């Protein structure tokens, strides 16, 4: 039996909201807990949803999240799964050069996407949950920016934003500041 205390969830979410500007959006990682009732509650609190699979996208929609509040962040999926997400009209992260190029050649600027960057920052509680280091499969290496730029320019991809995930259980705030510096530089 699992018991979830919604008042604790609400308290923690409100603490997070109060720590940032009013324009900040928070995305709950569906992979952490896909209990439909918890997802419905988190949606009512105003959070958005980060999904790593099409099934999580479908579950998010069923829980009441509108497509504009869902970010599909798959890892190493085929172009057909990206296209399936397009049918749901959710925000999409593309995390590798090959898929970025396939997407651009096929869809051009018809659908906005985010590009997931690997910043080569080692962070997290341990190596297994660090996702931003050089050997990680998560995101396109910052050392491939000229390839990203070439693909974006040649295919006219509509880049809606950049995305980065450096790891879990990060206790050093300097990791976030380092990541932000990289993202701001890349955004230019």
């Amino acid at each position: 039996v699992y018991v979830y205390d919604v008042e604790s969830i609400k308290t923690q979410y409100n603490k997070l909201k109060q720590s940032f500007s009013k324009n900040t959006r928070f995305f709950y990682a569906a992979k952490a807990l896909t209990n439909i009732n918890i997802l419905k509650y988190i949606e009512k609190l105003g959070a958005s949803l980060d999904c790593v699979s099409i099934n999580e996208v479908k579950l998010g929609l069923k829980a009441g999240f509108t497509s504009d509040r869902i970010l599909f962040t798959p890892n190493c999926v085929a172009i057909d799964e990206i296209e399936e997400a397009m049918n749901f009209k959710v925000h999409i992260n593309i995390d590798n050069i090959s898929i970025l190029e396939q997407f651009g050649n096929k869809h051009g600027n018809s659908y906005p996407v985010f590009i997931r960057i690997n910043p080569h920052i080692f962070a997290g509680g341990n190596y297994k949950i660090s996702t931003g280091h050089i050997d990680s499969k998560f995101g396109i290496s910052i050392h491939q920016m000229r390839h990203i730029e070439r693909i974006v320019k040649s295919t006219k991809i509509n880049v809606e934003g950049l995305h980065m995930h450096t790891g879990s259980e990060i206790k050093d705030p300097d990791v976030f500041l380092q990541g932000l510096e990289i993202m701001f530089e890349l955004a230019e």
Side-chain angles (χ1 to χ4, degrees):
V1 173
Y2 291 91
V3 177
Y4 300 102
D5 180 6
V6 294
E7 286 305 312
S8 294
I9 293 170
K10 181 180 180 180
T11 298
Q12 290 303 100
Y13 182 73
N14 286 334
K15 280 183 191 176
L16 187 62
K17 274 180 42 178
Q18 292 166 5
S19 298
F20 292 88
S21 79
K22 294 185 188 298
N23 296 329
T24 305
R25 289 177 62 187
F26 298 98
F27 288 78
Y28 172 74
K31 67 182 175 184
L33 177 64
T34 55
N35 178 303
I36 188 76
N37 294 307
I38 297 299
L39 292 179
K40 286 178 180 180
Y41 185 73
I42 290 169
E43 187 280 329
K44 282 189 175 79
L45 291 175
S48 294
L49 192 65
D50 182 65
C51 302
V52 298
S53 72
I54 286 296
N55 286 333
E56 285 180 1
V57 169
K58 292 174 184 176
L59 192 57
L61 291 167
K62 186 175 181 180
F65 288 89
T66 55
S67 60
D68 64 315
R69 289 176 50 210
I70 295 176
L71 177 61
F72 180 51
T73 308
N75 182 243
C76 301
V77 299
I79 190 72
D80 60 332
E81 194 164 338
I82 299 290
E83 291 170 336
E84 186 175 355
M86 290 170 65
N87 292 331
F88 293 114
K89 299 189 179 357
V90 298
H91 298 282
I92 298 172
N93 265 323
I94 295 181
D95 74 336
N96 69 64
I97 289 285
S98 172
I99 295 298
L100 185 66
E101 192 158 33
Q102 289 176 55
F103 180 88
N105 287 331
K106 196 166 183 185
H107 301 286
N109 69 354
S110 66
Y111 196 95
V113 295
F114 287 78
I115 298 176
R116 188 175 195 179
I117 304 295
N118 181 334
H120 299 287
I121 298 173
F122 184 83
N126 63 59
Y127 187 79
K128 291 181 179 180
I129 58 173
S130 177
T131 59
H133 59 80
I134 197 162
D135 295 324
S136 176
K137 66 180 181 175
F138 297 97
I140 302 170
S141 169
I142 57 172
H143 301 303
Q144 293 182 300
M145 281 308 296
R146 63 186 179 90
H147 299 298
I148 293 171
E149 289 172 357
R150 175 188 55 80
I151 293 168
V152 168
K153 286 178 184 173
S154 67
T155 64
K156 303 195 182 346
I157 293 176
N158 180 0
V159 179
E160 183 174 24
L162 299 173
H163 181 274
M164 171 180 52
H165 176 50
T166 56
S168 300
E169 296 181 15
I170 298 171
K171 295 178 176 97
D172 180 4
D174 288 338
V175 168
F176 297 109
L177 296 175
Q178 184 183 2
L180 279 173
E181 284 179 23
I182 289 169
M183 294 302 275
F184 287 140
E185 186 179 312
L186 294 177
E188 286 180 15

